[in-house]
Amino acid sequence: MFISAPGPCYDEGDSTINDIGRSLPVGNKKGWAALLLSALLIGLLAGCGGNSGGEAQGSQGAATDNAKASSSGETVKLTMWGGVPPEAGPQAVADAWNAEHPDIQVEYVRFVNDDDGNLKLDTALATGQAVDLFVNYSVTQAAKRVESGAALDLSSFTDYDIDGKMGPDAATWKIDGKYYGIPTKKNVQFFALNKDALDAAGLAVPKAWTWDEAREYAKKLKAAGFKYGLVQHTETFSDPMDSVMEKHGYIKEDGTSNMDDPLVRKWLETLNAMMKEDQTTPPLGEQLTSKMPVENMFLGGEAAMINIGEWLLRSSNNMKDFPRDFKIAFAPVPRLIENEEDFITSGGLGDFISINANSKHKEAAWEFLKWYADEGMLPMTAGGRLPASGAVDQAAAIESLLGEHADTYDQESLEFVLYGDQTPTFVRKLPQEMVDMRAQEYEKYFLGNQTAEQTVQAMVKRHNDFLKQNQ
């Protein structure tokens, strides 16, 4: 199972499609094979015969099921699994649908979006538990579920234009050239900035900038009295590297790792200098040992900038737990690449919702999924999840996102990073094993246990070993 080449926003390959078009396997074959074998055995013992009937059942078979339910007066019950807490929007979505569709009722089940939670979902899919729709939070997760036969090929439905509604970034989620779900959420990564502090320091809100410029901002803001100029979650440390790899390719033409791209080393040295020389961002050791709540530090006025995404609004709108007296402005994530036209930033689309290929109510699930993508997910904006569909009113989405605290934000800069910035985006598709291995190496550097050169060479070696093992 291979992920399709990225859409028009991408010029180079990634971990699954390299820059000369050769495909590489997704994920850990052995681990997934074991799960597939377990699922197959369970299916055989149950006498269900797997997913026979295939795609045709996705329309005709499900329609028959729904017709029977309708004629008998029975209510179709759908179960949707997702990783967002019910109170952060999903329950309101289900309630809105259920109020308007008494014949099709939706129950939301939460799984935690971590290794254990995703295993719970995969087990439920493999053992025939009640799952009609489910949310994938990474391309690699979706690809594995397609490979196992758990996700329905949506090409049997012809009444919804995914590309037209979601735009070119939707193509990132195609697997073998097909959609096995709909990406429903617009991912936005940005810098949130203390607007009052910027004004006092005479600093403009950037609309395009480099990491060198962001480093200078951090110095000036720290000098203005902040403990740190910049804070960020450790997960974002790899985004600048992936931005470079998406542009230049994770793999060279000779088939070996490109983790030694000069800009990768530049990023490592830049962040290390901010930690140790400038002292404008927390040292990694301190951040790890203290489990530093970086959002709290920004909202509490200890840090002037934070590298984060749209989910920040969940906390920044919570004035009870996170009271603040400053206005928040927003800027695009800085780039390592000098030429602005060559820059690709983390973002794209997410919350890829699939229909279980073994659901007894595929047609009903499809009706709900279309409604959710175009109309139903507006309550999710209050929890920081922006609808991706072009059918959604952007002004209404922003109004819902900001709630009653709109005057505490610089709305012009927010609208720019959400909808005005035309920088191409990517969704990381580097296998999780390699993401983890890479993080292990650069953490050694930030902790002072190896040099930048040793770090780059270690990442290259481990990437090459991974590529050989997964040929």
Side-chain angles (χ1 to χ4, degrees):
M1 182 60 57
F2 302 108
I3 300 173
S4 70
C9 291
Y10 299 82
D11 294 329
E12 300 287 350
D14 50 49
S15 61
T16 53
I17 303 287
N18 71 17
D19 49 329
I20 56 173
R22 293 195 300 271
S23 297
L24 296 171
V26 175
N28 186 311
K29 290 182 176 179
K30 293 181 180 178
W32 193 248
L35 181 58
L36 290 178
L37 180 59
S38 299
L40 178 60
L41 290 174
I42 291 170
L44 291 173
L45 290 172
C48 65
N51 189 27
S52 60
E55 299 167 7
Q57 187 180 356
S59 54
Q60 299 176 357
T64 301
D65 287 342
N66 293 339
K68 290 180 179 178
S70 177
S71 62
S72 65
E74 296 179 0
T75 298
V76 173
K77 294 183 179 180
L78 300 176
T79 303
M80 176 179 174
W81 286 48
V84 178
E87 64 274 13
Q91 191 58 53
V93 171
D95 290 345
W97 168 270
N98 291 341
E100 297 177 10
H101 302 83
D103 55 331
I104 303 174
Q105 296 289 284
V106 174
E107 177 187 2
Y108 180 77
V109 175
R110 192 210 176 182
F111 69 94
V112 179
N113 182 29
D114 58 13
D115 290 344
D116 290 340
N118 279 287
L119 178 60
K120 180 179 179 180
L121 170 59
D122 291 330
T123 302
L125 291 168
T127 57
Q129 298 178 42
V131 184
D132 296 290
L133 303 106
F134 55 92
V135 187
N136 306 276
Y137 295 98
S138 75
V139 176
T140 51
Q141 289 171 353
K144 289 176 180 179
R145 289 161 185 158
V146 169
E147 189 172 4
S148 74
L152 181 69
D153 174 7
L154 298 186
S155 61
S156 57
F157 301 112
T158 59
D159 59 338
Y160 191 90
D161 181 3
I162 296 177
D163 291 310
K165 288 289 183 71
M166 305 302 172
D169 283 349
T172 303
W173 289 90
K174 281 186 176 180
I175 300 170
D176 285 347
K178 298 180 179 180
Y179 284 113
Y180 290 83
I182 298 178
T184 58
K185 171 181 172 288
K186 181 179 176 65
N187 294 328
V188 185
Q189 193 80 19
F190 51 62
F191 266 37
L193 311 98
N194 186 316
K195 180 68 161 54
D196 297 359
L198 290 184
D199 292 344
L203 298 172
V205 178
K207 287 194 173 181
W209 56 337
T210 65
W211 270 103
D212 288 338
E213 291 171 323
R215 182 180 175 185
E216 292 303 312
Y217 266 57
K219 289 179 183 178
K220 292 177 180 178
L221 291 167
K222 179 179 173 63
F226 288 90
K227 182 175 182 179
Y228 293 114
L230 170 68
V231 292
Q232 56 187 332
H233 292 285
T234 56
E235 289 80 4
T236 63
F237 286 5
S238 60
D239 285 347
M241 291 188 289
D242 285 315
S243 176
V244 171
M245 296 291 96
E246 286 288 339
K247 184 64 182 178
H248 296 171
Y250 285 91
I251 303 169
K252 299 174 183 177
E253 291 188 3
D254 63 4
T256 61
S257 174
N258 195 29
M259 293 280 180
D260 56 354
D261 186 293
L263 288 177
V264 170
R265 179 164 177 169
K266 175 179 173 58
W267 163 240
L268 295 173
E269 291 176 339
T270 297
L271 183 56
N272 193 58
M274 292 179 70
M275 290 179 182
K276 297 172 183 175
E277 295 177 22
D278 306 342
Q279 298 182 350
T280 55
T281 200
L284 178 60
E286 177 185 340
Q287 186 161 347
L288 294 176
T289 56
S290 67
K291 297 182 180 179
M292 187 175 291
V294 294
E295 292 176 47
N296 298 24
M297 295 188 68
F298 172 71
L299 295 174
E302 292 183 79
M305 302 186 294
I306 185 170
N307 182 6
I308 199 165
E310 71 282 349
W311 63 90
L312 171 70
L313 278 295
R314 288 201 299 265
S315 299
S316 60
N317 280 338
N318 182 358
M319 292 293 188
K320 178 180 178 181
D321 295 327
F322 306 102
R324 57 184 168 86
D325 58 2
F326 62 89
K327 182 172 287 191
I328 298 177
F330 303 86
V333 173
R335 65 184 187 276
L336 285 170
I337 295 174
E338 285 299 323
N339 188 350
E340 185 179 343
E341 295 180 356
D342 291 335
F343 182 44
I344 302 174
T345 187
S346 175
L349 306 182
D351 286 15
F352 185 69
I353 303 180
S354 297
I355 296 174
N356 185 353
N358 296 307
S359 169
K360 295 179 181 179
H361 306 295
K362 298 180 183 68
E363 192 77 21
W366 175 242
E367 292 304 314
F368 172 78
L369 180 53
K370 291 186 296 180
W371 172 86
Y372 177 91
D374 282 354
E375 304 176 45
M377 73 172 295
L378 201 58
M380 302 289 285
T381 58
R385 309 189 92 77
L386 293 168
S389 173
V392 176
D393 185 335
Q394 293 179 3
I398 291 179
E399 181 179 355
S400 177
L401 179 68
L402 298 184
E404 60 185 17
H405 302 295
D407 60 344
T408 69
Y409 298 95
D410 180 66
Q411 292 191 49
E412 180 182 355
S413 62
L414 177 61
E415 291 176 9
F416 177 77
V417 297
L418 295 184
Y419 297 109
D421 187 5
Q422 300 303 307
T423 302
T425 62
F426 70 87
V427 175
R428 182 168 60 213
K429 295 180 289 295
L430 187 67
Q432 190 61 43
E433 298 96 321
M434 195 57 229
V435 172
D436 294 340
M437 288 189 288
R438 183 177 60 180
Q440 290 166 9
E441 296 304 329
Y442 65 65
E443 285 182 4
K444 293 176 187 177
Y445 171 55
F446 294 138
L447 293 172
N449 296 325
Q450 63 187 16
T451 67
E453 180 60 25
Q454 289 171 331
T455 299
V456 168
Q457 292 309 314
M459 290 194 298
V460 168
K461 182 182 184 304
R462 296 185 72 172
H463 191 200
N464 283 333
D465 291 343
F466 178 84
L467 294 174
K468 291 177 182 178
Q469 292 169 4
N470 290 275
Q471 286 180 345

PDB file of all heavy atoms in Angstrom, residues 80-85 108-114 116-121 133-137 141 145:
ATOM      1  N   MET A  80     -19.540   6.843  15.643  1.00  0.00           N
ATOM      2  CA  MET A  80     -18.365   7.535  15.108  1.00  0.00           C
ATOM      3  C   MET A  80     -17.292   7.616  16.184  1.00  0.00           C
ATOM      4  O   MET A  80     -17.551   8.066  17.295  1.00  0.00           O
ATOM      5  CB  MET A  80     -18.734   8.944  14.647  1.00  0.00           C
ATOM      6  CG  MET A  80     -17.549   9.770  14.170  1.00  0.00           C
ATOM      7  SD  MET A  80     -18.062  11.414  13.617  1.00  0.00           S
ATOM      8  CE  MET A  80     -16.471  12.176  13.291  1.00  0.00           C
ATOM      9  N   TRP A  81     -16.080   7.164  15.846  1.00  0.00           N
ATOM     10  CA  TRP A  81     -14.949   7.209  16.762  1.00  0.00           C
ATOM     11  C   TRP A  81     -14.032   8.359  16.389  1.00  0.00           C
ATOM     12  O   TRP A  81     -13.652   8.520  15.224  1.00  0.00           O
ATOM     13  CB  TRP A  81     -14.167   5.895  16.699  1.00  0.00           C
ATOM     14  CG  TRP A  81     -14.830   4.722  17.371  1.00  0.00           C
ATOM     15  CD1 TRP A  81     -16.129   4.325  17.232  1.00  0.00           C
ATOM     16  CD2 TRP A  81     -14.219   3.799  18.271  1.00  0.00           C
ATOM     17  NE1 TRP A  81     -16.363   3.213  17.985  1.00  0.00           N
ATOM     18  CE2 TRP A  81     -15.211   2.853  18.638  1.00  0.00           C
ATOM     19  CE3 TRP A  81     -12.942   3.655  18.799  1.00  0.00           C
ATOM     20  CZ2 TRP A  81     -14.958   1.798  19.504  1.00  0.00           C
ATOM     21  CZ3 TRP A  81     -12.690   2.603  19.666  1.00  0.00           C
ATOM     22  CH2 TRP A  81     -13.690   1.695  20.015  1.00  0.00           C
ATOM     23  N   GLY A  82     -13.654   9.170  17.388  1.00  0.00           N
ATOM     24  CA  GLY A  82     -12.738  10.282  17.159  1.00  0.00           C
ATOM     25  C   GLY A  82     -11.914  10.564  18.394  1.00  0.00           C
ATOM     26  O   GLY A  82     -12.226  10.095  19.501  1.00  0.00           O
ATOM     27  N   GLY A  83     -10.864  11.356  18.235  1.00  0.00           N
ATOM     28  CA  GLY A  83      -9.935  11.614  19.321  1.00  0.00           C
ATOM     29  C   GLY A  83     -10.196  12.879  20.108  1.00  0.00           C
ATOM     30  O   GLY A  83      -9.507  13.141  21.090  1.00  0.00           O
ATOM     31  N   VAL A  84     -11.189  13.677  19.715  1.00  0.00           N
ATOM     32  CA  VAL A  84     -11.473  14.931  20.405  1.00  0.00           C
ATOM     33  C   VAL A  84     -12.445  14.669  21.544  1.00  0.00           C
ATOM     34  O   VAL A  84     -13.428  13.936  21.366  1.00  0.00           O
ATOM     35  CB  VAL A  84     -12.075  15.960  19.421  1.00  0.00           C
ATOM     36  CG1 VAL A  84     -12.413  17.261  20.128  1.00  0.00           C
ATOM     37  CG2 VAL A  84     -11.102  16.214  18.269  1.00  0.00           C
ATOM     38  N   PRO A  85     -12.217  15.252  22.725  1.00  0.00           N
ATOM     39  CA  PRO A  85     -13.166  15.075  23.827  1.00  0.00           C
ATOM     40  C   PRO A  85     -14.569  15.496  23.397  1.00  0.00           C
ATOM     41  O   PRO A  85     -14.734  16.499  22.692  1.00  0.00           O
ATOM     42  CB  PRO A  85     -12.625  15.995  24.921  1.00  0.00           C
ATOM     43  CG  PRO A  85     -11.160  16.106  24.628  1.00  0.00           C
ATOM     44  CD  PRO A  85     -11.046  16.070  23.139  1.00  0.00           C
ATOM     45  N   TYR A 108     -21.210   9.316  19.446  1.00  0.00           N
ATOM     46  CA  TYR A 108     -19.783   9.618  19.364  1.00  0.00           C
ATOM     47  C   TYR A 108     -19.036   8.861  20.454  1.00  0.00           C
ATOM     48  O   TYR A 108     -19.417   8.887  21.626  1.00  0.00           O
ATOM     49  CB  TYR A 108     -19.537  11.124  19.513  1.00  0.00           C
ATOM     50  CG  TYR A 108     -18.078  11.511  19.448  1.00  0.00           C
ATOM     51  CD1 TYR A 108     -17.402  11.565  18.228  1.00  0.00           C
ATOM     52  CD2 TYR A 108     -17.361  11.814  20.602  1.00  0.00           C
ATOM     53  CE1 TYR A 108     -16.064  11.914  18.151  1.00  0.00           C
ATOM     54  CE2 TYR A 108     -16.019  12.167  20.542  1.00  0.00           C
ATOM     55  CZ  TYR A 108     -15.381  12.210  19.318  1.00  0.00           C
ATOM     56  OH  TYR A 108     -14.043  12.562  19.253  1.00  0.00           O
ATOM     57  N   VAL A 109     -17.961   8.185  20.053  1.00  0.00           N
ATOM     58  CA  VAL A 109     -17.108   7.456  20.973  1.00  0.00           C
ATOM     59  C   VAL A 109     -15.703   8.030  20.881  1.00  0.00           C
ATOM     60  O   VAL A 109     -15.145   8.118  19.779  1.00  0.00           O
ATOM     61  CB  VAL A 109     -17.079   5.945  20.651  1.00  0.00           C
ATOM     62  CG1 VAL A 109     -16.080   5.219  21.553  1.00  0.00           C
ATOM     63  CG2 VAL A 109     -18.467   5.348  20.798  1.00  0.00           C
ATOM     64  N   ARG A 110     -15.136   8.405  22.012  1.00  0.00           N
ATOM     65  CA  ARG A 110     -13.809   8.983  21.987  1.00  0.00           C
ATOM     66  C   ARG A 110     -12.730   7.929  22.214  1.00  0.00           C
ATOM     67  O   ARG A 110     -12.859   7.072  23.082  1.00  0.00           O
ATOM     68  CB  ARG A 110     -13.666  10.067  23.060  1.00  0.00           C
ATOM     69  CG  ARG A 110     -12.381  10.870  22.847  1.00  0.00           C
ATOM     70  CD  ARG A 110     -11.791  11.408  24.115  1.00  0.00           C
ATOM     71  NE  ARG A 110     -10.528  12.084  23.818  1.00  0.00           N
ATOM     72  CZ  ARG A 110      -9.750  12.628  24.732  1.00  0.00           C
ATOM     73  NH1 ARG A 110     -10.090  12.589  26.003  1.00  0.00           N
ATOM     74  NH2 ARG A 110      -8.611  13.207  24.391  1.00  0.00           N
ATOM     75  N   PHE A 111     -11.661   7.983  21.408  1.00  0.00           N
ATOM     76  CA  PHE A 111     -10.427   7.258  21.698  1.00  0.00           C
ATOM     77  C   PHE A 111      -9.315   8.292  21.788  1.00  0.00           C
ATOM     78  O   PHE A 111      -9.322   9.279  21.060  1.00  0.00           O
ATOM     79  CB  PHE A 111     -10.114   6.204  20.631  1.00  0.00           C
ATOM     80  CG  PHE A 111      -9.724   6.760  19.276  1.00  0.00           C
ATOM     81  CD1 PHE A 111      -8.391   6.947  18.933  1.00  0.00           C
ATOM     82  CD2 PHE A 111     -10.701   7.095  18.345  1.00  0.00           C
ATOM     83  CE1 PHE A 111      -8.031   7.455  17.693  1.00  0.00           C
ATOM     84  CE2 PHE A 111     -10.356   7.606  17.096  1.00  0.00           C
ATOM     85  CZ  PHE A 111      -9.009   7.791  16.772  1.00  0.00           C
ATOM     86  N   VAL A 112      -8.378   8.090  22.689  1.00  0.00           N
ATOM     87  CA  VAL A 112      -7.274   9.029  22.835  1.00  0.00           C
ATOM     88  C   VAL A 112      -6.321   8.846  21.656  1.00  0.00           C
ATOM     89  O   VAL A 112      -5.946   7.727  21.312  1.00  0.00           O
ATOM     90  CB  VAL A 112      -6.536   8.808  24.161  1.00  0.00           C
ATOM     91  CG1 VAL A 112      -5.364   9.776  24.297  1.00  0.00           C
ATOM     92  CG2 VAL A 112      -7.501   8.992  25.335  1.00  0.00           C
ATOM     93  N   ASN A 113      -5.943   9.950  21.026  1.00  0.00           N
ATOM     94  CA  ASN A 113      -5.083   9.875  19.844  1.00  0.00           C
ATOM     95  C   ASN A 113      -3.621   9.687  20.250  1.00  0.00           C
ATOM     96  O   ASN A 113      -2.781  10.577  20.085  1.00  0.00           O
ATOM     97  CB  ASN A 113      -5.248  11.136  18.990  1.00  0.00           C
ATOM     98  CG  ASN A 113      -4.411  11.073  17.715  1.00  0.00           C
ATOM     99  OD1 ASN A 113      -4.148   9.998  17.192  1.00  0.00           O
ATOM    100  ND2 ASN A 113      -3.982  12.221  17.234  1.00  0.00           N
ATOM    101  N   ASP A 114      -3.321   8.514  20.792  1.00  0.00           N
ATOM    102  CA  ASP A 114      -1.951   8.121  21.071  1.00  0.00           C
ATOM    103  C   ASP A 114      -1.808   6.659  20.648  1.00  0.00           C
ATOM    104  O   ASP A 114      -2.738   6.091  20.044  1.00  0.00           O
ATOM    105  CB  ASP A 114      -1.586   8.329  22.544  1.00  0.00           C
ATOM    106  CG  ASP A 114      -2.490   7.564  23.512  1.00  0.00           C
ATOM    107  OD1 ASP A 114      -3.244   6.671  23.066  1.00  0.00           O
ATOM    108  OD2 ASP A 114      -2.445   7.844  24.731  1.00  0.00           O
ATOM    109  N   ASP A 116      -1.794   3.831  22.321  1.00  0.00           N
ATOM    110  CA  ASP A 116      -2.776   2.941  22.936  1.00  0.00           C
ATOM    111  C   ASP A 116      -4.173   3.184  22.377  1.00  0.00           C
ATOM    112  O   ASP A 116      -4.933   2.239  22.120  1.00  0.00           O
ATOM    113  CB  ASP A 116      -2.783   3.128  24.455  1.00  0.00           C
ATOM    114  CG  ASP A 116      -1.520   2.604  25.126  1.00  0.00           C
ATOM    115  OD1 ASP A 116      -0.821   1.775  24.496  1.00  0.00           O
ATOM    116  OD2 ASP A 116      -1.225   3.030  26.256  1.00  0.00           O
ATOM    117  N   GLY A 117      -4.516   4.458  22.202  1.00  0.00           N
ATOM    118  CA  GLY A 117      -5.839   4.780  21.686  1.00  0.00           C
ATOM    119  C   GLY A 117      -6.039   4.306  20.260  1.00  0.00           C
ATOM    120  O   GLY A 117      -7.109   3.780  19.909  1.00  0.00           O
ATOM    121  N   ASN A 118      -5.018   4.475  19.418  1.00  0.00           N
ATOM    122  CA  ASN A 118      -5.136   4.016  18.035  1.00  0.00           C
ATOM    123  C   ASN A 118      -5.182   2.496  17.958  1.00  0.00           C
ATOM    124  O   ASN A 118      -5.857   1.934  17.090  1.00  0.00           O
ATOM    125  CB  ASN A 118      -3.985   4.576  17.205  1.00  0.00           C
ATOM    126  CG  ASN A 118      -4.241   6.008  16.773  1.00  0.00           C
ATOM    127  OD1 ASN A 118      -5.062   6.270  15.899  1.00  0.00           O
ATOM    128  ND2 ASN A 118      -3.553   6.951  17.396  1.00  0.00           N
ATOM    129  N   LEU A 119      -4.470   1.827  18.863  1.00  0.00           N
ATOM    130  CA  LEU A 119      -4.562   0.360  18.919  1.00  0.00           C
ATOM    131  C   LEU A 119      -5.973  -0.070  19.297  1.00  0.00           C
ATOM    132  O   LEU A 119      -6.501  -1.057  18.769  1.00  0.00           O
ATOM    133  CB  LEU A 119      -3.537  -0.187  19.910  1.00  0.00           C
ATOM    134  CG  LEU A 119      -3.552  -1.707  20.107  1.00  0.00           C
ATOM    135  CD1 LEU A 119      -3.280  -2.430  18.794  1.00  0.00           C
ATOM    136  CD2 LEU A 119      -2.526  -2.117  21.166  1.00  0.00           C
ATOM    137  N   LYS A 120      -6.592   0.668  20.223  1.00  0.00           N
ATOM    138  CA  LYS A 120      -7.966   0.363  20.620  1.00  0.00           C
ATOM    139  C   LYS A 120      -8.905   0.472  19.425  1.00  0.00           C
ATOM    140  O   LYS A 120      -9.774  -0.404  19.219  1.00  0.00           O
ATOM    141  CB  LYS A 120      -8.396   1.319  21.732  1.00  0.00           C
ATOM    142  CG  LYS A 120      -9.816   1.090  22.239  1.00  0.00           C
ATOM    143  CD  LYS A 120     -10.154   2.080  23.354  1.00  0.00           C
ATOM    144  CE  LYS A 120     -11.587   1.868  23.848  1.00  0.00           C
ATOM    145  NZ  LYS A 120     -11.925   2.841  24.936  1.00  0.00           N
ATOM    146  N   LEU A 121      -8.753   1.528  18.630  1.00  0.00           N
ATOM    147  CA  LEU A 121      -9.574   1.684  17.433  1.00  0.00           C
ATOM    148  C   LEU A 121      -9.306   0.564  16.443  1.00  0.00           C
ATOM    149  O   LEU A 121     -10.241  -0.042  15.899  1.00  0.00           O
ATOM    150  CB  LEU A 121      -9.317   3.043  16.787  1.00  0.00           C
ATOM    151  CG  LEU A 121      -9.938   3.260  15.395  1.00  0.00           C
ATOM    152  CD1 LEU A 121     -11.448   3.094  15.434  1.00  0.00           C
ATOM    153  CD2 LEU A 121      -9.559   4.631  14.856  1.00  0.00           C
ATOM    154  N   LEU A 133     -17.936   5.080  11.469  1.00  0.00           N
ATOM    155  CA  LEU A 133     -17.034   6.108  10.960  1.00  0.00           C
ATOM    156  C   LEU A 133     -15.900   6.275  11.961  1.00  0.00           C
ATOM    157  O   LEU A 133     -16.085   6.091  13.167  1.00  0.00           O
ATOM    158  CB  LEU A 133     -17.748   7.443  10.776  1.00  0.00           C
ATOM    159  CG  LEU A 133     -18.975   7.486   9.870  1.00  0.00           C
ATOM    160  CD1 LEU A 133     -20.232   7.609  10.726  1.00  0.00           C
ATOM    161  CD2 LEU A 133     -18.904   8.662   8.891  1.00  0.00           C
ATOM    162  N   PHE A 134     -14.726   6.638  11.471  1.00  0.00           N
ATOM    163  CA  PHE A 134     -13.597   6.848  12.375  1.00  0.00           C
ATOM    164  C   PHE A 134     -12.669   7.903  11.788  1.00  0.00           C
ATOM    165  O   PHE A 134     -12.585   8.086  10.570  1.00  0.00           O
ATOM    166  CB  PHE A 134     -12.834   5.549  12.643  1.00  0.00           C
ATOM    167  CG  PHE A 134     -12.338   4.827  11.414  1.00  0.00           C
ATOM    168  CD1 PHE A 134     -11.068   5.059  10.910  1.00  0.00           C
ATOM    169  CD2 PHE A 134     -13.149   3.900  10.767  1.00  0.00           C
ATOM    170  CE1 PHE A 134     -10.604   4.391   9.786  1.00  0.00           C
ATOM    171  CE2 PHE A 134     -12.694   3.226   9.632  1.00  0.00           C
ATOM    172  CZ  PHE A 134     -11.416   3.467   9.152  1.00  0.00           C
ATOM    173  N   VAL A 135     -11.975   8.611  12.697  1.00  0.00           N
ATOM    174  CA  VAL A 135     -11.101   9.702  12.291  1.00  0.00           C
ATOM    175  C   VAL A 135      -9.655   9.231  12.306  1.00  0.00           C
ATOM    176  O   VAL A 135      -9.195   8.642  13.290  1.00  0.00           O
ATOM    177  CB  VAL A 135     -11.250  10.920  13.225  1.00  0.00           C
ATOM    178  CG1 VAL A 135     -10.457  12.114  12.678  1.00  0.00           C
ATOM    179  CG2 VAL A 135     -12.720  11.295  13.392  1.00  0.00           C
ATOM    180  N   ASN A 136      -8.949   9.487  11.211  1.00  0.00           N
ATOM    181  CA  ASN A 136      -7.513   9.234  11.112  1.00  0.00           C
ATOM    182  C   ASN A 136      -6.786  10.558  11.295  1.00  0.00           C
ATOM    183  O   ASN A 136      -7.135  11.553  10.661  1.00  0.00           O
ATOM    184  CB  ASN A 136      -7.153   8.658   9.739  1.00  0.00           C
ATOM    185  CG  ASN A 136      -7.965   7.435   9.383  1.00  0.00           C
ATOM    186  OD1 ASN A 136      -7.649   6.327   9.770  1.00  0.00           O
ATOM    187  ND2 ASN A 136      -9.044   7.630   8.623  1.00  0.00           N
ATOM    188  N   TYR A 137      -5.742  10.557  12.125  1.00  0.00           N
ATOM    189  CA  TYR A 137      -5.027  11.805  12.397  1.00  0.00           C
ATOM    190  C   TYR A 137      -3.660  11.864  11.728  1.00  0.00           C
ATOM    191  O   TYR A 137      -2.926  12.831  11.921  1.00  0.00           O
ATOM    192  CB  TYR A 137      -4.911  12.017  13.911  1.00  0.00           C
ATOM    193  CG  TYR A 137      -6.265  12.230  14.546  1.00  0.00           C
ATOM    194  CD1 TYR A 137      -6.930  11.184  15.170  1.00  0.00           C
ATOM    195  CD2 TYR A 137      -6.909  13.460  14.464  1.00  0.00           C
ATOM    196  CE1 TYR A 137      -8.198  11.361  15.719  1.00  0.00           C
ATOM    197  CE2 TYR A 137      -8.172  13.652  15.006  1.00  0.00           C
ATOM    198  CZ  TYR A 137      -8.811  12.597  15.633  1.00  0.00           C
ATOM    199  OH  TYR A 137     -10.070  12.783  16.163  1.00  0.00           O
ATOM    200  N   GLN A 141      -1.465   6.364   9.461  1.00  0.00           N
ATOM    201  CA  GLN A 141      -2.537   5.611  10.102  1.00  0.00           C
ATOM    202  C   GLN A 141      -3.607   5.235   9.083  1.00  0.00           C
ATOM    203  O   GLN A 141      -4.083   4.094   9.047  1.00  0.00           O
ATOM    204  CB  GLN A 141      -3.165   6.434  11.220  1.00  0.00           C
ATOM    205  CG  GLN A 141      -2.305   6.612  12.447  1.00  0.00           C
ATOM    206  CD  GLN A 141      -2.911   7.620  13.416  1.00  0.00           C
ATOM    207  OE1 GLN A 141      -3.912   8.279  13.108  1.00  0.00           O
ATOM    208  NE2 GLN A 141      -2.314   7.750  14.585  1.00  0.00           N
ATOM    209  N   ARG A 145      -4.851   1.401   7.689  1.00  0.00           N
ATOM    210  CA  ARG A 145      -6.238   0.946   7.795  1.00  0.00           C
ATOM    211  C   ARG A 145      -6.826   0.622   6.434  1.00  0.00           C
ATOM    212  O   ARG A 145      -7.670  -0.271   6.308  1.00  0.00           O
ATOM    213  CB  ARG A 145      -7.054   2.000   8.543  1.00  0.00           C
ATOM    214  CG  ARG A 145      -6.687   2.043  10.024  1.00  0.00           C
ATOM    215  CD  ARG A 145      -7.084   3.297  10.742  1.00  0.00           C
ATOM    216  NE  ARG A 145      -6.559   3.260  12.122  1.00  0.00           N
ATOM    217  CZ  ARG A 145      -6.363   4.314  12.888  1.00  0.00           C
ATOM    218  NH1 ARG A 145      -6.659   5.536  12.416  1.00  0.00           N
ATOM    219  NH2 ARG A 145      -5.878   4.186  14.107  1.00  0.00           N
TER     220      ARG A 145
END
